[in-house]
Amino acid sequence: MSIGIAGFGGYVPERVLTNAELEEMFDTSDEWIVQRTGIRERRIAAEEESTLDLAAHASLQALQHAGIGADDLDEIIVATDTPEVYTPDTAAFLQHRLGARTVPAYDLGGSGCSGFVQALDVARARATVEPKRILVVGVELISRLLSWDDRAVDVLFGDGAGAVVVDPEGSRATLIDVVAGTDGSQTDILTLGVGGTRRPFTLEVAQTGDHQRLVMEGHEVFKSAVRRMSAAVDELLGRIGCTIDDVAWLIPHQANARIIAAVGNRLKIPEERVYVNVDRYGNTGSASVPLALSEAVHGGEVTEGDLVVLVAFGAGFHWSAAALRF
Ligand code: UT7
């Protein structure tokens, strides 16, 4: 079942952190980072900003774009792996900050960079069963969870947020279909394993610094990301009876320019139809797809009639792809 989308929003913090600044922090180089990842700079939240602030900025832009107020919302879903606090969820904070009615609000956490597209699928199902206006947010403030002494990981990430308003009467775009999947056989190769019941956050753990250490086997994650994202797009296009030639824009998760290029090559889509902003924002986790989508829409890149395909991959592993017609 397809459903309307009424508005798009995005937000990045003002502070730009360049590769040159990272060179001052640890043994890395602009050349290595650009060659291996395509990232030139990323945004870092100000000390006084938290996940909620980023989410609220993106949400307000999406609401304004939709031409509705927060009190018109019937539900709020926030996809994040870097929540405001451990409990309750960020969606509760966002409901209050926006001044929404006491509607259901909840987080989808732990899906890494795939969370937003999965949340979009949940919203589609919820709004189909019962017509509802649902705010769907992807937000990440990853910089605060990093130790800033691990060059292999810290150069990759940035902070940001993106949001859409799913609305059965929304006319800016139609969410046609979504595919999603999970393979939980490799939960240990992309993980921040401290803070749950398996390894609670204790003073002893704090002394190891593991609570700020994202464990990542880059090569394996890279290969799985390319394979799963390409397959998800193939599956999605098959389901909606389209080919890659029908796709005006592929908006992939922005983790690494080489991953994006490899997915584009596999799918045989010309690079000028693949949206890239990883050079400016790095990997913003579950914010990456909605942020790129909002930028493409507000920048006039996406025009009426365009078929836009979103695709994401993240810790879990989880992957998801969505088709939108503008
Ligand atoms: O959103 C999903 C989450 N993550 C991803 O999608 C990331 C997926 N993986 C990747 O993007 C890539 O694997 C990385 C960018 C993380 C790494 O690129 P790579 O081409 O796989 O490099 P590598 O891990 O093979 O490292 C090559 C070398 C190593 O040195 P040796 O062992 O060859 O001497 C690293 O120690 O590069 C070294 N290195 C660095 N050098 C300078 C690792 N990080 C850095 C750095 N600066 N920041």
Side-chain angles (χ1 to χ4, degrees):
M1 292 286 281
S2 50
I3 195 97
I5 294 192
F8 300 85
Y11 173 76
V12 286
E14 270 177 38
R15 164 86 166 97
V16 175
L17 180 67
T18 63
N19 290 349
E21 288 173 272
L22 293 176
E23 285 176 353
E24 305 288 315
M25 293 163 69
F26 35 65
D27 180 20
T28 190
S29 66
D30 174 56
E31 192 192 0
W32 189 96
I33 302 171
V34 172
Q35 267 180 13
R36 301 291 179 123
T37 72
I39 300 167
R40 293 182 183 277
E41 57 188 41
R42 68 287 293 143
R43 299 300 181 98
I44 302 294
E47 232 169 82
E48 64 276 12
E49 276 183 314
S50 62
T51 302
L52 173 62
D53 298 307
L54 275 54
H57 278 295
S59 300
L60 288 172
Q61 190 187 21
L63 288 169
Q64 192 185 33
H65 196 218
I68 64 169
D71 53 353
D72 294 314
L73 290 172
D74 300 304
E75 197 155 317
I76 298 170
I77 311 176
V78 177
T80 186
D81 271 19
T82 51
E84 185 74 4
V85 297
Y86 192 79
T87 191
D89 52 14
T90 306
F93 288 90
L94 187 61
Q95 177 273 337
H96 184 63
R97 169 73 68 86
L98 294 176
R101 290 174 291 118
T102 53
V103 297
Y106 50 95
D107 280 12
L108 285 188
S111 324
C113 314
S114 181
F116 172 81
V117 182
Q118 290 178 292
L120 211 50
D121 196 21
V122 174
R124 179 178 70 117
R126 298 273 296 162
T128 305
V129 171
E130 186 187 336
K132 279 171 177 240
R133 284 178 172 147
I134 306 180
L135 175 68
V136 184
V137 182
V139 58
E140 226 71 71
L141 204 163
I142 305 177
S143 68
R144 204 156 292 161
L145 299 191
L146 301 177
S147 58
W148 293 103
D149 61 5
D150 181 359
R151 67 176 186 175
V153 168
D154 299 349
V155 302
L156 304 175
F157 293 98
D159 303 331
V164 305
V165 177
V166 169
D167 179 346
E169 290 170 15
S171 55
R172 292 202 185 270
T174 302
L175 175 59
I176 304 169
D177 204 356
V178 184
V179 299
T182 300
D183 173 3
S185 65
Q186 285 168 294
T187 44
D188 55 339
I189 72 167
L190 182 53
T191 180
L192 209 166
V194 170
T197 55
R198 179 177 286 194
R199 197 169 174 219
F201 183 39
T202 59
L203 182 57
E204 213 179 5
V205 170
Q207 281 159 349
T208 67
D210 285 355
H211 60 297
Q212 290 178 313
R213 193 159 294 130
L214 186 71
V215 174
M216 184 173 73
E217 284 180 30
H219 281 296
E220 284 308 310
V221 176
F222 191 112
K223 280 191 292 183
S224 293
V226 173
R227 186 163 61 89
R228 295 296 190 184
M229 286 201 280
S230 318
V233 172
D234 276 338
E235 184 189 343
L236 178 73
L237 291 175
R239 271 170 62 134
I240 63 172
C242 290
T243 72
I244 199 71
D245 296 333
D246 300 315
V247 177
W249 281 105
L250 177 69
I251 302 188
H253 169 49
Q254 308 283 317
N256 181 323
R258 286 160 53 219
I259 295 179
I260 295 172
V263 171
N265 281 341
R266 274 202 180 202
L267 292 169
K268 298 192 171 51
I269 180 166
E271 63 179 4
E272 57 275 14
R273 301 204 325 253
V274 181
Y275 197 84
V276 178
N277 65 11
V278 68
D279 52 323
R280 287 176 286 130
Y281 303 138
N283 182 347
T284 57
S286 62
S288 118
V289 166
L291 185 59
L293 175 61
S294 172
E295 198 176 71
V297 170
H298 288 284
E301 240 97 28
V302 173
T303 52
E304 213 177 319
D306 280 357
L307 177 65
V308 174
V309 169
L310 316 177
V311 64
F313 175 87
F317 294 130
H318 298 285
W319 56 91
S320 45
L324 283 84
R325 176 73 72 185
F326 279 78

